[in-house]
Amino acid sequence: MDDFLAARLQMAFSLGFHIVFACIGMVMPFFMSVAHFYWLKTKKVVYRDVTKAWSKGVAIFFATGAVSGTVLSFELGLLWPKFMEHAGPIFGMPFSLEGTAFFIEAIALGFYLYGWNKLNPWFHWATGVVVGVSGLLSGILVVAANAWMNSPAGFDYINGQYLNIDPIKAMFNEAWFSQSLHMCVAAFVSTGFAVAGVHALMILKGKNVAFHSKAFKIAAVFGTVAACLQPLSGDISAKDVAKRQPEKLAAMEAHFHTEKFAPLIIGGIPDTANKKVDYALKIPGLLSFMATGDFNGEVKGLDAVPKEDQPPVAVTHYAFQVMVGLGMAMVGIAILYFIALWKKKQWLDSKWLLKLFVAATPLGFIALEAGWTVTEVGRQPWIIRGVMRTADAVTPMPGIVYSFYLFTAVYISLAIIVSLLLYRQITMVDSLYDSESVQSKN
Amino acid sequence: MIYVVIVFLWTAILLYILLGGADFGAGIIELMTAKTNKAKTRKTMYKAIGPIWEANHMWLIIAIVILFVGFPKIYTTISVYLHIPLVCMLLGIIARGTAFVFRNYDAVKDDMQKIYTPIFVYSSLITPFFLGIIAASSVSGQIDPSANNFLSAYIFSWLNWFSVAVGIFTVSICGFLATIFIIGQTDNDGDREHFVGKARRTIFIVMFCGALVFIAAYSEGIPLASWIFGDTPGLIAIIAASISLLVMFYALKKDKPILLRLLAGFQVTMILFAATYTHFPDIVLLKNGENLSLLTHQGQARTIASLGYALLIGSIFILPALVYLIYIFQKRQEVPASH
Ligand code: HDD
Ligand code: HEM
Ligand code: HEM
């Protein structure tokens, strides 16, 4: 492996790892606040137990998210110094605001975790909401920074110089809205399905059914509602990509030739050498309609850009298929769940629905990672689209391969430990909360 | 506006040393404490640090963001030539942060704790050690952008006696801050006496490590003495720190925890002031004599202006909340945390 590839993989690995913690860290506080709200309103102990159990999850994920995020802020310079030297002052605005958002989040979390029995109950509840809101805000801000790499704005690039920098314009670049929206919804989808899946499993095992049913319902409602919104937001994203990065859309769709009445290609194996896709399902005209709103609209193919500016087709295409496929699968589950809620109450007690949710536990996060692969690989070979190539941004220091191995080992062990910790957290629900709820019921 | 940004940068670094340092120190002290007292030390520390734990480490992120937004050339030079110690420090940060959470949030208290605790205490040692190395290396003049082999570009930029001595000194400062801090958290005379004794010993260790730094600087040909004693403000800062040390021995005797904390904070502030004042506005000294200055290597005016406003607006939100957080948990120490 050469150092350049190692640097890209290390970045991808670190971000792929961080995003999981970040999403859970920004969405779980909302679940927690809902449970907390029910506890304050109904005084049913089970809601307090759910709140407390979840708040420990939030603490674990927040800290691991903070640690992996701290690493990222150094890695940007350690791996991509040439990029940061020029990009830092331009896209730094969201990062400096993000600092504030994180800080508020950390402070509010301090109040929340240690404030039981010390603060006014509603003030205490509000600090939990602040954790969620500021987490979401920081997610929006950091994605706005990433969006800038896709659609650079707020500076003039003249003779290799970055002049007339305007950080505000850079932050509100063309892609910030569609990307941040899609990201936030994705965070709710993936966390909602993951949490619901875990609690569904515990219900199936017959453990603390009262506790896990309440938890399941809160997470499932968030996850399924978000899952239904996701294709809408994805459509906005796709139209946006078609306008600002036609070569990325072409790679996502494995769409080699510019044409009108372009077909939507589902599945298949892209054959880059012969510029065709084998074994694919093709729906005539649909791609034109989705990208332009007109069945006869022209969609640019990969042939519209020079060979050296084309993104890798296969990875982008497969990743896109995975994301959309899983997204649709989750919409399906969501619809079944809504039918169960409104029309067929008996389904709610049946095993198959719960089993479906158990099976769907990882789907949201897989779609999330796939989506990022689409965005990031589809931007290649550029690190700042049209301005700086990724290969020109990498650090001159040799031996990044070793740093890549090192970090990979660290992240894998961390992932294992965190899973173990959560497993223990969940299996301990019995002894931690059962006795408590029994006591308080008397 | 550039001065606003510089003040924020300096303050963020200072607060990270003070708050994060006390936090690292907690782990260091646990490492150095005899087995019988470990549990006591740990409980007392955790009670004090738990609620502000997350916030303590945000200062590092603020400092880094200010650097890469406002002074990108400085950020990237450090990132490239001090890559290795930075990675070591990051590994320390990862290990420490996760171990801290695990040992406090693991639902089952069993033998796993035997794994978390060593990770926590050793990474508490390693992280500030490399932090000190990085800080020292940026001013030791060994970073050589024209180096043409791996060793001189990426190893000798930081591996020298001076940097190592500053690393050790930083570790000792963290231990010092933590012992002083912990005195105010004790709830009985026996403990208090124990920690006061410890604080006395730590002060001597810090002085010894400080002397090491001067010796190492001398052996590396770094004119540290003339940097620090050479101009009046630096000299005044050092004298003030020394006088406050005498007051500190008095305060230790008379058992005045708040005064002790203020004095410890004052001393560290003075040391940082003396160490940075002589070079200001230079922050990275290169081997070829072309120093990187905060003033000549700042970003474009619009960037600095928006960064400055972002920091000012941010601090309006953050500071009152942070102060309230510390206040509320200091005031209600007697109520045990129930989570
Ligand atoms: C739970 C996760 C999830 C799900 C179910 C979907 N997506 Fe997605 N998608 C993401 C998670 C995601 C993401 C990881 O959050 C990305 C990466 C960058 C971004 O802004 O969102 C993304 C990027 C992304 C992009 C590229 C945006 C860009 O580069 O600016 C497009 C065009 C779509 N998505 C479209 C869709 C469509 C049409 C979906 C239909 C179901 C869909 N996504 C489901
Ligand atoms: C958290 C979600 C993200 C994931 C999973 C992700 C994933 C990836 C992947 C897979 C790559 C490698 C692409 C390749 O080299 O082919 C990459 C590169 C990179 N990403 Fe992202 N990314 C995410 C968000 C971000 C954000 C928010 C930023 C910056 C603000 C960012 C900055 C970069 C940089 C600088 C590179 C290296 C240069 C490049 O390969 O273009 N990423 N990321
Ligand atoms: C799309 C990608 C990203 C998202 C959605 C995201 C979101 C978040 C969130 C919500 C947190 C708060 C921690 C938690 O609640 O668990 C966090 C932490 C952090 N992130 Fe990211 N992040 C992303 C990528 C990045 C990148 C590229 C950087 C590098 C500059 C970064 C830097 C940080 C830092 C420094 C923290 C720690 C702050 C703290 O203590 O809360 N993040 N991130």
Side-chain angles (χ1 to χ4, degrees), chain A residues 306-329:
Chain A
K307 186 105 191 65
E308 70 273 15
D309 289 351
Q310 291 178 7
V313 180
V315 175
T316 319
H317 179 66
Y318 292 136
F320 186 63
Q321 304 296 310
V322 168
M323 170 176 66
V324 175
L326 294 180
M328 288 309 176

Side-chain angles (χ1 to χ4, degrees), chain B residues 179-200:
Chain B
T179 24
I180 296 295
F181 183 73
I182 205 172
I183 290 175
Q185 300 304 128
T186 50
D187 45 15
N188 64 62
D189 286 343
D191 283 2
R192 200 163 301 138
E193 221 139 85
H194 171 80
F195 287 115
V196 166
K198 202 170 223 95
R200 286 214 181 88

Side-chain angles (χ1 to χ4, degrees), chain A residues 62-64 67 73 77-78 81 84-85 89 102 111 113-114 117-118 162 165-167 414 417 421 424-425, chain B residues 46 54 58 68-69 72 75-76 79 83 94 98 101-102 105-106 108 110 300 302-303 306 324 329 332 338:
Chain A
F62 185 87
T64 19
V67 167
S73 57
L78 291 175
M84 287 309 283
E85 190 175 332
F102 282 148
F111 275 115
L113 291 178
Y114 296 85
N117 309 331
K118 288 189 195 176
Y162 300 74
I165 292 175
D166 182 346
L414 264 185
I417 303 179
L421 203 63
R424 286 155 66 112
Q425 199 76 245
Chain B
Y46 178 65
E54 294 288 354
M58 293 305 301
F68 81 57
V69 178
Y75 169 80
T76 52
S79 306
H83 190 115
I94 299 179
T98 35
V101 179
F102 290 168
Y105 288 102
D106 195 340
V108 194
D110 60 7
Q300 291 177 23
R302 288 282 271 283
T303 302
S306 51
Y324 185 57
F329 287 103
R332 310 260 185 105
S338 71

Side-chain angles (χ1 to χ4, degrees), chain A residues 121-179:
Chain A
W122 284 105
F123 177 74
H124 182 219
W125 177 79
T127 59
V129 177
V130 172
V131 175
V133 172
S134 46
L136 210 54
L137 215 62
S138 41
I140 293 174
L141 287 165
V142 76
V143 175
N146 176 268
W148 177 85
M149 294 163 61
N150 284 324
S151 63
F155 65 101
D156 296 320
Y157 185 63
I158 301 165
N159 295 332
Q161 295 210 309
Y162 300 74
L163 303 173
N164 305 324
I165 292 175
D166 182 346
I168 310 283
K169 247 199 199 140
M171 182 161 76
F172 294 110
N173 56 71
E174 265 179 58
W176 86 272
F177 178 75
S178 66
Q179 268 197 256

Side-chain angles (χ1 to χ4, degrees), chain A residues 60-217:
Chain A
I60 293 170
F61 279 103
F62 185 87
T64 19
V67 167
S68 55
T70 310
V71 173
L72 275 176
S73 57
F74 282 93
E75 265 180 340
L76 284 175
L78 291 175
L79 299 175
W80 314 105
K82 303 260 165 46
F83 164 65
M84 287 309 283
E85 190 175 332
H86 298 293
I90 310 174
F91 84 161
M93 190 70 193
F95 284 111
S96 34
L97 295 174
E98 193 198 13
T100 305
F102 282 148
F103 225 125
I104 293 174
E105 199 182 347
I107 294 171
L109 193 69
F111 275 115
Y112 191 80
L113 291 178
Y114 296 85
W116 289 96
N117 309 331
K118 288 189 195 176
L119 304 169
N120 165 306
W122 284 105
F123 177 74
H124 182 219
W125 177 79
T127 59
V129 177
V130 172
V131 175
V133 172
S134 46
L136 210 54
L137 215 62
S138 41
I140 293 174
L141 287 165
V142 76
V143 175
N146 176 268
W148 177 85
M149 294 163 61
N150 284 324
S151 63
F155 65 101
D156 296 320
Y157 185 63
I158 301 165
N159 295 332
Q161 295 210 309
Y162 300 74
L163 303 173
N164 305 324
I165 292 175
D166 182 346
I168 310 283
K169 247 199 199 140
M171 182 161 76
F172 294 110
N173 56 71
E174 265 179 58
W176 86 272
F177 178 75
S178 66
Q179 268 197 256
S180 299
L181 177 70
H182 198 60
M183 176 71 233
C184 290
V185 181
F188 277 92
V189 177
S190 33
T191 312
F193 270 86
V195 175
V198 170
H199 290 290
L201 183 65
M202 300 316 280
I203 301 174
L204 281 174
K205 285 194 171 169
K207 288 198 176 150
N208 298 76
V209 174
F211 176 96
H212 289 295
S213 312
K214 299 285 190 253
F216 171 79
K217 185 161 178 195

Side-chain angles (χ1 to χ4, degrees), chain A residues 4-5 7-20 22-23 72 75-76 79-80 83-84 91 95 139 141-149 179 183 312 315 368-384 388-391 393:
Chain A
F4 176 47
L5 186 62
R8 289 167 66 181
L9 285 174
Q10 182 178 332
M11 193 73 200
F13 228 82
S14 314
L15 281 158
F17 187 83
H18 176 69
I19 191 75
V20 174
C23 281
L72 275 176
E75 265 180 340
L76 284 175
L79 299 175
W80 314 105
F83 164 65
M84 287 309 283
F91 84 161
F95 284 111
L141 287 165
V142 76
V143 175
N146 176 268
W148 177 85
M149 294 163 61
Q179 268 197 256
M183 176 71 233
V315 175
L368 186 89
E369 301 285 358
W372 275 105
T373 310
V374 173
T375 303
E376 301 283 319
V377 177
R379 189 185 58 239
Q380 303 306 318
W382 303 104
I383 190 167
I384 309 173
M388 184 190 281
R389 282 173 193 275
T390 312

Side-chain angles (χ1 to χ4, degrees), chain B residues 27 30 48 53 70 79 83 100 108 114 125 154 187 197 202 246-247 293 302 307 328 330:
Chain B
E30 199 177 318
W53 186 80
S79 306
H83 190 115
F100 178 87
V108 194
K114 289 209 185 107
L125 192 74
Y154 303 110
D187 45 15
T202 325
L246 297 177
V247 184
S293 143
R302 288 282 271 283
L307 178 61
I328 216 163
Q330 285 293 321

